[in-house]
Amino acid sequence: MKIAILSDTHGLLRPEVAEHLKTVDAILHGGDINKQSIVEELQQYAPLYIVRGNNDKEWAEDIPHDLTVTLGGVTFFMVHNKKEVLKDLSGVDVVVFGHSHKYVQQEQDGILWLNPGSCGPRRFHQEITMMLAEVADGRITVDKITIPHETK
């Protein structure tokens, strides 16, 4: 199973990101979507699992603050801000978060922590990134995808 992991699109779904979405079986979005139209566009590509970010206001009231989902035998816990991760992560294999716009892929105490960075508007002179993951038989491999951008 191929999964796209995104966060912090902030109202922009780049064509380069959409190209990657054409090849996936599921999409995880770590929040700060900013527009219902982005949710609807993402849903056209694959089943979508999303959490609400701090910039997702009234329109996003029905989007959960956090979410636990199992795909391909791997259990993901999703929340926008890493500071709001549950203390008890029993049964969780991967934590997906966003908020900082900084790419993170690290294992800690047997749990893989993933922040795909931001693939929306470029901010803070940071890279524009997302993740593509392969999940099968309870195992996950993750690739960092850097989206090219113009520097002006």
Side-chain angles (χ1 to χ4, degrees), residues 20-52:
H20 288 291
L21 299 180
K22 292 177 182 178
T23 68
V24 303
D25 302 301
I27 302 167
L28 305 181
H29 194 301
D32 275 1
I33 307 144
N34 284 59
K35 291 183 186 174
Q36 178 64 35
S37 60
I38 299 294
V39 173
E40 292 164 5
E41 191 172 350
L42 290 171
Q43 288 172 327
Q44 293 177 18
Y45 293 101
L48 175 64
Y49 303 91
I50 57 176
V51 293
R52 188 173 59 246

PDB file of all heavy atoms in Angstrom, residues 20-52:
ATOM      1  N   HIS A  20       1.980  13.298  -7.471  1.00  0.00           N
ATOM      2  CA  HIS A  20       2.311  12.177  -6.585  1.00  0.00           C
ATOM      3  C   HIS A  20       1.041  11.500  -6.057  1.00  0.00           C
ATOM      4  O   HIS A  20       1.011  10.284  -5.863  1.00  0.00           O
ATOM      5  CB  HIS A  20       3.175  12.641  -5.415  1.00  0.00           C
ATOM      6  CG  HIS A  20       4.583  12.982  -5.793  1.00  0.00           C
ATOM      7  ND1 HIS A  20       5.500  12.026  -6.186  1.00  0.00           N
ATOM      8  CD2 HIS A  20       5.222  14.165  -5.855  1.00  0.00           C
ATOM      9  CE1 HIS A  20       6.646  12.612  -6.467  1.00  0.00           C
ATOM     10  NE2 HIS A  20       6.506  13.911  -6.283  1.00  0.00           N
ATOM     11  N   LEU A  21      -0.004  12.292  -5.825  1.00  0.00           N
ATOM     12  CA  LEU A  21      -1.236  11.745  -5.257  1.00  0.00           C
ATOM     13  C   LEU A  21      -1.935  10.788  -6.208  1.00  0.00           C
ATOM     14  O   LEU A  21      -2.706   9.927  -5.782  1.00  0.00           O
ATOM     15  CB  LEU A  21      -2.183  12.874  -4.850  1.00  0.00           C
ATOM     16  CG  LEU A  21      -1.647  13.837  -3.786  1.00  0.00           C
ATOM     17  CD1 LEU A  21      -2.685  14.896  -3.469  1.00  0.00           C
ATOM     18  CD2 LEU A  21      -1.205  13.098  -2.532  1.00  0.00           C
ATOM     19  N   LYS A  22      -1.658  10.904  -7.497  1.00  0.00           N
ATOM     20  CA  LYS A  22      -2.275  10.020  -8.489  1.00  0.00           C
ATOM     21  C   LYS A  22      -1.831   8.571  -8.324  1.00  0.00           C
ATOM     22  O   LYS A  22      -2.466   7.666  -8.862  1.00  0.00           O
ATOM     23  CB  LYS A  22      -1.930  10.500  -9.902  1.00  0.00           C
ATOM     24  CG  LYS A  22      -2.564  11.822 -10.256  1.00  0.00           C
ATOM     25  CD  LYS A  22      -2.114  12.277 -11.634  1.00  0.00           C
ATOM     26  CE  LYS A  22      -2.721  13.632 -11.978  1.00  0.00           C
ATOM     27  NZ  LYS A  22      -2.248  14.101 -13.298  1.00  0.00           N
ATOM     28  N   THR A  23      -0.746   8.343  -7.583  1.00  0.00           N
ATOM     29  CA  THR A  23      -0.171   6.994  -7.476  1.00  0.00           C
ATOM     30  C   THR A  23      -0.417   6.336  -6.121  1.00  0.00           C
ATOM     31  O   THR A  23       0.097   5.247  -5.881  1.00  0.00           O
ATOM     32  CB  THR A  23       1.349   7.051  -7.717  1.00  0.00           C
ATOM     33  OG1 THR A  23       1.972   7.756  -6.635  1.00  0.00           O
ATOM     34  CG2 THR A  23       1.677   7.730  -9.029  1.00  0.00           C
ATOM     35  N   VAL A  24      -1.163   6.988  -5.216  1.00  0.00           N
ATOM     36  CA  VAL A  24      -1.266   6.470  -3.844  1.00  0.00           C
ATOM     37  C   VAL A  24      -2.607   5.792  -3.566  1.00  0.00           C
ATOM     38  O   VAL A  24      -3.598   6.024  -4.257  1.00  0.00           O
ATOM     39  CB  VAL A  24      -0.994   7.574  -2.788  1.00  0.00           C
ATOM     40  CG1 VAL A  24       0.385   8.192  -3.004  1.00  0.00           C
ATOM     41  CG2 VAL A  24      -2.075   8.635  -2.787  1.00  0.00           C
ATOM     42  N   ASP A  25      -2.581   4.967  -2.512  1.00  0.00           N
ATOM     43  CA  ASP A  25      -3.779   4.253  -2.072  1.00  0.00           C
ATOM     44  C   ASP A  25      -4.484   4.943  -0.909  1.00  0.00           C
ATOM     45  O   ASP A  25      -5.635   4.641  -0.599  1.00  0.00           O
ATOM     46  CB  ASP A  25      -3.401   2.831  -1.638  1.00  0.00           C
ATOM     47  CG  ASP A  25      -2.721   2.070  -2.758  1.00  0.00           C
ATOM     48  OD1 ASP A  25      -3.345   1.925  -3.823  1.00  0.00           O
ATOM     49  OD2 ASP A  25      -1.555   1.651  -2.582  1.00  0.00           O
ATOM     50  N   ALA A  26      -3.779   5.861  -0.231  1.00  0.00           N
ATOM     51  CA  ALA A  26      -4.348   6.609   0.895  1.00  0.00           C
ATOM     52  C   ALA A  26      -3.527   7.876   1.099  1.00  0.00           C
ATOM     53  O   ALA A  26      -2.357   7.948   0.705  1.00  0.00           O
ATOM     54  CB  ALA A  26      -4.341   5.774   2.171  1.00  0.00           C
ATOM     55  N   ILE A  27      -4.169   8.872   1.715  1.00  0.00           N
ATOM     56  CA  ILE A  27      -3.507  10.142   2.023  1.00  0.00           C
ATOM     57  C   ILE A  27      -3.707  10.434   3.502  1.00  0.00           C
ATOM     58  O   ILE A  27      -4.832  10.379   4.008  1.00  0.00           O
ATOM     59  CB  ILE A  27      -4.095  11.301   1.193  1.00  0.00           C
ATOM     60  CG1 ILE A  27      -3.963  11.014  -0.311  1.00  0.00           C
ATOM     61  CG2 ILE A  27      -3.436  12.635   1.573  1.00  0.00           C
ATOM     62  CD1 ILE A  27      -4.781  11.951  -1.196  1.00  0.00           C
ATOM     63  N   LEU A  28      -2.604  10.766   4.189  1.00  0.00           N
ATOM     64  CA  LEU A  28      -2.662  11.249   5.563  1.00  0.00           C
ATOM     65  C   LEU A  28      -2.294  12.729   5.534  1.00  0.00           C
ATOM     66  O   LEU A  28      -1.274  13.100   4.952  1.00  0.00           O
ATOM     67  CB  LEU A  28      -1.671  10.499   6.459  1.00  0.00           C
ATOM     68  CG  LEU A  28      -1.750   8.975   6.496  1.00  0.00           C
ATOM     69  CD1 LEU A  28      -0.712   8.417   7.464  1.00  0.00           C
ATOM     70  CD2 LEU A  28      -3.136   8.510   6.872  1.00  0.00           C
ATOM     71  N   HIS A  29      -3.110  13.571   6.157  1.00  0.00           N
ATOM     72  CA  HIS A  29      -2.832  15.017   6.184  1.00  0.00           C
ATOM     73  C   HIS A  29      -2.788  15.476   7.632  1.00  0.00           C
ATOM     74  O   HIS A  29      -3.749  15.333   8.363  1.00  0.00           O
ATOM     75  CB  HIS A  29      -3.900  15.789   5.407  1.00  0.00           C
ATOM     76  CG  HIS A  29      -3.517  17.211   5.099  1.00  0.00           C
ATOM     77  ND1 HIS A  29      -3.213  18.127   6.070  1.00  0.00           N
ATOM     78  CD2 HIS A  29      -3.376  17.855   3.922  1.00  0.00           C
ATOM     79  CE1 HIS A  29      -2.905  19.282   5.511  1.00  0.00           C
ATOM     80  NE2 HIS A  29      -3.000  19.134   4.194  1.00  0.00           N
ATOM     81  N   GLY A  30      -1.663  16.056   8.016  1.00  0.00           N
ATOM     82  CA  GLY A  30      -1.422  16.468   9.402  1.00  0.00           C
ATOM     83  C   GLY A  30      -1.939  17.834   9.782  1.00  0.00           C
ATOM     84  O   GLY A  30      -1.484  18.402  10.782  1.00  0.00           O
ATOM     85  N   GLY A  31      -2.888  18.395   9.042  1.00  0.00           N
ATOM     86  CA  GLY A  31      -3.542  19.628   9.462  1.00  0.00           C
ATOM     87  C   GLY A  31      -2.994  20.896   8.835  1.00  0.00           C
ATOM     88  O   GLY A  31      -1.986  20.897   8.144  1.00  0.00           O
ATOM     89  N   ASP A  32      -3.682  21.994   9.122  1.00  0.00           N
ATOM     90  CA  ASP A  32      -3.497  23.294   8.476  1.00  0.00           C
ATOM     91  C   ASP A  32      -3.743  23.166   6.979  1.00  0.00           C
ATOM     92  O   ASP A  32      -2.895  23.445   6.131  1.00  0.00           O
ATOM     93  CB  ASP A  32      -2.138  23.923   8.789  1.00  0.00           C
ATOM     94  CG  ASP A  32      -2.163  24.709  10.104  1.00  0.00           C
ATOM     95  OD1 ASP A  32      -3.227  24.738  10.756  1.00  0.00           O
ATOM     96  OD2 ASP A  32      -1.137  25.290  10.461  1.00  0.00           O
ATOM     97  N   ILE A  33      -4.956  22.744   6.698  1.00  0.00           N
ATOM     98  CA  ILE A  33      -5.453  22.566   5.343  1.00  0.00           C
ATOM     99  C   ILE A  33      -5.914  23.928   4.812  1.00  0.00           C
ATOM    100  O   ILE A  33      -5.631  24.290   3.689  1.00  0.00           O
ATOM    101  CB  ILE A  33      -6.639  21.565   5.349  1.00  0.00           C
ATOM    102  CG1 ILE A  33      -6.216  20.276   6.047  1.00  0.00           C
ATOM    103  CG2 ILE A  33      -7.165  21.316   3.952  1.00  0.00           C
ATOM    104  CD1 ILE A  33      -7.293  19.629   6.858  1.00  0.00           C
ATOM    105  N   ASN A  34      -6.647  24.637   5.649  1.00  0.00           N
ATOM    106  CA  ASN A  34      -7.117  26.008   5.467  1.00  0.00           C
ATOM    107  C   ASN A  34      -8.350  26.207   4.595  1.00  0.00           C
ATOM    108  O   ASN A  34      -8.948  27.265   4.649  1.00  0.00           O
ATOM    109  CB  ASN A  34      -6.011  26.947   4.983  1.00  0.00           C
ATOM    110  CG  ASN A  34      -5.045  27.320   6.074  1.00  0.00           C
ATOM    111  OD1 ASN A  34      -4.414  26.438   6.648  1.00  0.00           O
ATOM    112  ND2 ASN A  34      -4.932  28.590   6.374  1.00  0.00           N
ATOM    113  N   LYS A  35      -8.714  25.226   3.760  1.00  0.00           N
ATOM    114  CA  LYS A  35      -9.887  25.402   2.894  1.00  0.00           C
ATOM    115  C   LYS A  35     -10.589  24.072   2.671  1.00  0.00           C
ATOM    116  O   LYS A  35      -9.944  23.067   2.405  1.00  0.00           O
ATOM    117  CB  LYS A  35      -9.479  25.925   1.510  1.00  0.00           C
ATOM    118  CG  LYS A  35      -8.965  27.315   1.442  1.00  0.00           C
ATOM    119  CD  LYS A  35      -8.694  27.639  -0.032  1.00  0.00           C
ATOM    120  CE  LYS A  35      -8.032  28.982  -0.196  1.00  0.00           C
ATOM    121  NZ  LYS A  35      -7.660  29.202  -1.601  1.00  0.00           N
ATOM    122  N   GLN A  36     -11.913  24.109   2.710  1.00  0.00           N
ATOM    123  CA  GLN A  36     -12.704  22.920   2.407  1.00  0.00           C
ATOM    124  C   GLN A  36     -12.415  22.421   0.993  1.00  0.00           C
ATOM    125  O   GLN A  36     -12.396  21.222   0.737  1.00  0.00           O
ATOM    126  CB  GLN A  36     -14.194  23.221   2.576  1.00  0.00           C
ATOM    127  CG  GLN A  36     -15.111  22.054   2.245  1.00  0.00           C
ATOM    128  CD  GLN A  36     -14.934  20.860   3.161  1.00  0.00           C
ATOM    129  OE1 GLN A  36     -14.676  21.009   4.348  1.00  0.00           O
ATOM    130  NE2 GLN A  36     -15.066  19.662   2.610  1.00  0.00           N
ATOM    131  N   SER A  37     -12.151  23.323   0.070  1.00  0.00           N
ATOM    132  CA  SER A  37     -11.901  22.918  -1.320  1.00  0.00           C
ATOM    133  C   SER A  37     -10.650  22.030  -1.436  1.00  0.00           C
ATOM    134  O   SER A  37     -10.598  21.145  -2.295  1.00  0.00           O
ATOM    135  CB  SER A  37     -11.759  24.141  -2.233  1.00  0.00           C
ATOM    136  OG  SER A  37     -10.674  24.951  -1.822  1.00  0.00           O
ATOM    137  N   ILE A  38      -9.673  22.232  -0.561  1.00  0.00           N
ATOM    138  CA  ILE A  38      -8.475  21.373  -0.566  1.00  0.00           C
ATOM    139  C   ILE A  38      -8.853  19.965  -0.114  1.00  0.00           C
ATOM    140  O   ILE A  38      -8.403  18.978  -0.690  1.00  0.00           O
ATOM    141  CB  ILE A  38      -7.358  21.960   0.315  1.00  0.00           C
ATOM    142  CG1 ILE A  38      -6.914  23.327  -0.199  1.00  0.00           C
ATOM    143  CG2 ILE A  38      -6.175  21.001   0.429  1.00  0.00           C
ATOM    144  CD1 ILE A  38      -6.240  23.320  -1.561  1.00  0.00           C
ATOM    145  N   VAL A  39      -9.700  19.869   0.919  1.00  0.00           N
ATOM    146  CA  VAL A  39     -10.177  18.560   1.381  1.00  0.00           C
ATOM    147  C   VAL A  39     -10.871  17.836   0.233  1.00  0.00           C
ATOM    148  O   VAL A  39     -10.587  16.672  -0.044  1.00  0.00           O
ATOM    149  CB  VAL A  39     -11.133  18.711   2.586  1.00  0.00           C
ATOM    150  CG1 VAL A  39     -11.757  17.371   2.957  1.00  0.00           C
ATOM    151  CG2 VAL A  39     -10.410  19.310   3.783  1.00  0.00           C
ATOM    152  N   GLU A  40     -11.756  18.536  -0.453  1.00  0.00           N
ATOM    153  CA  GLU A  40     -12.505  17.927  -1.553  1.00  0.00           C
ATOM    154  C   GLU A  40     -11.584  17.490  -2.683  1.00  0.00           C
ATOM    155  O   GLU A  40     -11.766  16.419  -3.264  1.00  0.00           O
ATOM    156  CB  GLU A  40     -13.565  18.907  -2.049  1.00  0.00           C
ATOM    157  CG  GLU A  40     -14.657  19.129  -1.011  1.00  0.00           C
ATOM    158  CD  GLU A  40     -15.521  20.348  -1.263  1.00  0.00           C
ATOM    159  OE1 GLU A  40     -15.351  21.016  -2.315  1.00  0.00           O
ATOM    160  OE2 GLU A  40     -16.367  20.652  -0.396  1.00  0.00           O
ATOM    161  N   GLU A  41     -10.573  18.291  -2.972  1.00  0.00           N
ATOM    162  CA  GLU A  41      -9.635  17.922  -4.032  1.00  0.00           C
ATOM    163  C   GLU A  41      -8.820  16.695  -3.624  1.00  0.00           C
ATOM    164  O   GLU A  41      -8.636  15.768  -4.421  1.00  0.00           O
ATOM    165  CB  GLU A  41      -8.702  19.103  -4.338  1.00  0.00           C
ATOM    166  CG  GLU A  41      -7.886  18.895  -5.586  1.00  0.00           C
ATOM    167  CD  GLU A  41      -7.114  20.125  -6.016  1.00  0.00           C
ATOM    168  OE1 GLU A  41      -7.336  21.221  -5.472  1.00  0.00           O
ATOM    169  OE2 GLU A  41      -6.259  19.973  -6.908  1.00  0.00           O
ATOM    170  N   LEU A  42      -8.354  16.651  -2.389  1.00  0.00           N
ATOM    171  CA  LEU A  42      -7.579  15.500  -1.918  1.00  0.00           C
ATOM    172  C   LEU A  42      -8.413  14.223  -1.966  1.00  0.00           C
ATOM    173  O   LEU A  42      -7.901  13.159  -2.319  1.00  0.00           O
ATOM    174  CB  LEU A  42      -7.076  15.746  -0.492  1.00  0.00           C
ATOM    175  CG  LEU A  42      -5.993  16.814  -0.331  1.00  0.00           C
ATOM    176  CD1 LEU A  42      -5.756  17.106   1.146  1.00  0.00           C
ATOM    177  CD2 LEU A  42      -4.703  16.393  -1.016  1.00  0.00           C
ATOM    178  N   GLN A  43      -9.689  14.325  -1.632  1.00  0.00           N
ATOM    179  CA  GLN A  43     -10.568  13.153  -1.617  1.00  0.00           C
ATOM    180  C   GLN A  43     -10.760  12.553  -3.005  1.00  0.00           C
ATOM    181  O   GLN A  43     -11.151  11.395  -3.120  1.00  0.00           O
ATOM    182  CB  GLN A  43     -11.931  13.526  -1.019  1.00  0.00           C
ATOM    183  CG  GLN A  43     -11.864  13.761   0.468  1.00  0.00           C
ATOM    184  CD  GLN A  43     -13.168  14.325   1.044  1.00  0.00           C
ATOM    185  OE1 GLN A  43     -13.884  15.078   0.381  1.00  0.00           O
ATOM    186  NE2 GLN A  43     -13.457  13.959   2.276  1.00  0.00           N
ATOM    187  N   GLN A  44     -10.466  13.294  -4.041  1.00  0.00           N
ATOM    188  CA  GLN A  44     -10.607  12.775  -5.405  1.00  0.00           C
ATOM    189  C   GLN A  44      -9.501  11.782  -5.750  1.00  0.00           C
ATOM    190  O   GLN A  44      -9.642  10.995  -6.683  1.00  0.00           O
ATOM    191  CB  GLN A  44     -10.584  13.919  -6.419  1.00  0.00           C
ATOM    192  CG  GLN A  44     -11.787  14.821  -6.319  1.00  0.00           C
ATOM    193  CD  GLN A  44     -11.706  15.997  -7.279  1.00  0.00           C
ATOM    194  OE1 GLN A  44     -10.942  15.998  -8.231  1.00  0.00           O
ATOM    195  NE2 GLN A  44     -12.513  17.007  -7.009  1.00  0.00           N
ATOM    196  N   TYR A  45      -8.395  11.812  -5.002  1.00  0.00           N
ATOM    197  CA  TYR A  45      -7.247  10.958  -5.316  1.00  0.00           C
ATOM    198  C   TYR A  45      -7.275   9.612  -4.595  1.00  0.00           C
ATOM    199  O   TYR A  45      -6.933   8.595  -5.186  1.00  0.00           O
ATOM    200  CB  TYR A  45      -5.941  11.682  -4.987  1.00  0.00           C
ATOM    201  CG  TYR A  45      -5.698  12.862  -5.877  1.00  0.00           C
ATOM    202  CD1 TYR A  45      -5.959  14.148  -5.433  1.00  0.00           C
ATOM    203  CD2 TYR A  45      -5.223  12.701  -7.173  1.00  0.00           C
ATOM    204  CE1 TYR A  45      -5.747  15.251  -6.259  1.00  0.00           C
ATOM    205  CE2 TYR A  45      -5.005  13.792  -8.010  1.00  0.00           C
ATOM    206  CZ  TYR A  45      -5.273  15.058  -7.539  1.00  0.00           C
ATOM    207  OH  TYR A  45      -5.069  16.140  -8.358  1.00  0.00           O
ATOM    208  N   ALA A  46      -7.625   9.630  -3.307  1.00  0.00           N
ATOM    209  CA  ALA A  46      -7.558   8.400  -2.504  1.00  0.00           C
ATOM    210  C   ALA A  46      -8.290   8.643  -1.189  1.00  0.00           C
ATOM    211  O   ALA A  46      -8.574   9.793  -0.839  1.00  0.00           O
ATOM    212  CB  ALA A  46      -6.084   8.039  -2.231  1.00  0.00           C
ATOM    213  N   PRO A  47      -8.584   7.570  -0.444  1.00  0.00           N
ATOM    214  CA  PRO A  47      -9.155   7.767   0.892  1.00  0.00           C
ATOM    215  C   PRO A  47      -8.270   8.728   1.696  1.00  0.00           C
ATOM    216  O   PRO A  47      -7.039   8.621   1.676  1.00  0.00           O
ATOM    217  CB  PRO A  47      -9.153   6.363   1.487  1.00  0.00           C
ATOM    218  CG  PRO A  47      -9.245   5.467   0.289  1.00  0.00           C
ATOM    219  CD  PRO A  47      -8.432   6.156  -0.777  1.00  0.00           C
ATOM    220  N   LEU A  48      -8.913   9.674   2.383  1.00  0.00           N
ATOM    221  CA  LEU A  48      -8.216  10.755   3.070  1.00  0.00           C
ATOM    222  C   LEU A  48      -8.442  10.668   4.575  1.00  0.00           C
ATOM    223  O   LEU A  48      -9.573  10.558   5.036  1.00  0.00           O
ATOM    224  CB  LEU A  48      -8.737  12.097   2.541  1.00  0.00           C
ATOM    225  CG  LEU A  48      -8.222  13.367   3.199  1.00  0.00           C
ATOM    226  CD1 LEU A  48      -6.716  13.521   2.979  1.00  0.00           C
ATOM    227  CD2 LEU A  48      -8.972  14.584   2.635  1.00  0.00           C
ATOM    228  N   TYR A  49      -7.349  10.729   5.319  1.00  0.00           N
ATOM    229  CA  TYR A  49      -7.368  10.739   6.782  1.00  0.00           C
ATOM    230  C   TYR A  49      -6.727  12.051   7.208  1.00  0.00           C
ATOM    231  O   TYR A  49      -5.552  12.297   6.905  1.00  0.00           O
ATOM    232  CB  TYR A  49      -6.601   9.540   7.344  1.00  0.00           C
ATOM    233  CG  TYR A  49      -7.151   8.227   6.825  1.00  0.00           C
ATOM    234  CD1 TYR A  49      -6.640   7.651   5.669  1.00  0.00           C
ATOM    235  CD2 TYR A  49      -8.202   7.590   7.472  1.00  0.00           C
ATOM    236  CE1 TYR A  49      -7.159   6.466   5.168  1.00  0.00           C
ATOM    237  CE2 TYR A  49      -8.732   6.405   6.983  1.00  0.00           C
ATOM    238  CZ  TYR A  49      -8.205   5.848   5.831  1.00  0.00           C
ATOM    239  OH  TYR A  49      -8.719   4.672   5.341  1.00  0.00           O
ATOM    240  N   ILE A  50      -7.505  12.921   7.868  1.00  0.00           N
ATOM    241  CA  ILE A  50      -7.010  14.256   8.190  1.00  0.00           C
ATOM    242  C   ILE A  50      -7.280  14.618   9.643  1.00  0.00           C
ATOM    243  O   ILE A  50      -8.197  14.083  10.277  1.00  0.00           O
ATOM    244  CB  ILE A  50      -7.636  15.338   7.287  1.00  0.00           C
ATOM    245  CG1 ILE A  50      -9.173  15.323   7.386  1.00  0.00           C
ATOM    246  CG2 ILE A  50      -7.199  15.169   5.857  1.00  0.00           C
ATOM    247  CD1 ILE A  50      -9.852  16.419   6.596  1.00  0.00           C
ATOM    248  N   VAL A  51      -6.459  15.526  10.147  1.00  0.00           N
ATOM    249  CA  VAL A  51      -6.675  16.125  11.460  1.00  0.00           C
ATOM    250  C   VAL A  51      -6.706  17.641  11.290  1.00  0.00           C
ATOM    251  O   VAL A  51      -6.162  18.182  10.328  1.00  0.00           O
ATOM    252  CB  VAL A  51      -5.617  15.702  12.498  1.00  0.00           C
ATOM    253  CG1 VAL A  51      -5.743  14.224  12.823  1.00  0.00           C
ATOM    254  CG2 VAL A  51      -4.208  16.041  12.040  1.00  0.00           C
ATOM    255  N   ARG A  52      -7.336  18.293  12.247  1.00  0.00           N
ATOM    256  CA  ARG A  52      -7.492  19.742  12.210  1.00  0.00           C
ATOM    257  C   ARG A  52      -6.235  20.424  12.748  1.00  0.00           C
ATOM    258  O   ARG A  52      -5.705  20.043  13.778  1.00  0.00           O
ATOM    259  CB  ARG A  52      -8.713  20.138  13.048  1.00  0.00           C
ATOM    260  CG  ARG A  52      -9.113  21.577  12.959  1.00  0.00           C
ATOM    261  CD  ARG A  52     -10.428  21.874  13.680  1.00  0.00           C
ATOM    262  NE  ARG A  52     -10.346  21.537  15.100  1.00  0.00           N
ATOM    263  CZ  ARG A  52     -11.039  20.564  15.692  1.00  0.00           C
ATOM    264  NH1 ARG A  52     -11.858  19.812  14.995  1.00  0.00           N
ATOM    265  NH2 ARG A  52     -10.907  20.349  16.980  1.00  0.00           N
TER     266      ARG A  52
END
